[in-house]
Amino acid sequence: ALTARAESEIRQARSTIDGLLDSREREWAEPLPGRASWWSWSAAGVDAIEMNSGAGLDARAVLERHPIHDLSLADLKGGLPADWKTWTAELASFRFRAPAVGDMGLARVLASGDWPCLESLELRAAGAGQAATSELTGRGILQRLASLDVSRSPGWGDRSLALLGCQGAARLRRLDISQTNITANGILNFLSNGPPMGLEHLAM
């Protein structure tokens, strides 16, 4: 258990940090204020942001200042940012928050990035289907993922699940396929063919 002195020091440190953020955050977070929808801090700096595709943020300028490894894309108005590959080069987590763009649209988003470090991918309600899943498998992204969320995607069905199951997603720990078009036969085939060995969480 912590001593009373240690607890007091922790409270004081937190108060100091909160005070500094209150007074200096906009300066420290440059060039994000007024452009990113939100951002969050870690000990190393801003490590997660949400932005619109037309936010006007220069990837190199942002990444030189902030170690961003978690990105949420809120829309695709006007298409992907011109420097999209630079944005995706060091991401460990990507969340597609834009309204559904359909299976082929998602496949193009995935095809336009590099994703060498991607571990967590959320495509909830984005319209994922077989084309997006084929892009994941064909580019080797699936084999690196620890978490995949394609929930609320009516176009994601038995063929997509079979494609995922036969690609050897050895690192996959969490899979959310709730509110998709999976049938009982699709689930049985997936399980009988041996789902990823490390799978710990399966939402259906």
Side-chain angles (χ1 to χ4, degrees), residues 157-170:
D158 291 353
R159 289 184 179 181
S160 300
L161 184 60
L163 187 59
L164 184 150
C166 71
Q167 291 299 317

Side-chain angles (χ1 to χ4, degrees), residues 60-185:
R60 293 191 186 280
V62 173
L63 296 174
E64 283 176 3
R65 185 160 183 165
H66 304 291
I68 293 169
H69 300 295
D70 185 326
L71 173 66
S72 297
L73 189 62
D75 72 29
L76 278 182
K77 294 177 181 177
L80 287 166
D83 51 3
W84 183 236
K85 282 195 174 184
T86 305
W87 280 111
T88 63
E90 296 184 19
L91 291 180
S93 178
F94 175 59
R95 297 173 177 85
F96 191 78
R97 303 291 196 195
V101 296
D103 189 26
M104 293 303 297
L106 269 181
R108 285 193 290 272
V109 170
L110 295 170
S112 300
D114 281 336
W115 319 106
C117 307
L118 195 67
E119 297 178 354
S120 177
L121 178 61
E122 182 184 305
L123 303 175
R124 183 184 306 165
Q130 193 170 350
T133 308
S134 295
E135 193 64 41
L136 290 176
T137 58
R139 291 171 60 85
I141 299 170
L142 177 65
Q143 289 80 352
R144 296 191 296 272
L145 289 182
S147 177
L148 174 62
D149 183 347
V150 290
S151 61
R152 297 171 56 198
S153 300
W156 209 87
D158 291 353
R159 289 184 179 181
S160 300
L161 184 60
L163 187 59
L164 184 150
C166 71
Q167 291 299 317
R171 298 188 61 194
L172 200 62
R173 299 291 179 266
R174 299 179 61 86
L175 175 61
D176 191 337
I177 53 175
S178 56
Q179 300 182 58
T180 59
N181 201 27
I182 300 296
T183 68
N185 283 337

Side-chain angles (χ1 to χ4, degrees), residues 15-29:
S15 177
T16 300
I17 292 170
D18 289 344
L20 284 170
L21 277 177
D22 285 344
S23 62
R24 306 288 296 277
E25 180 171 17
R26 291 189 67 82
E27 174 188 346
W28 289 346

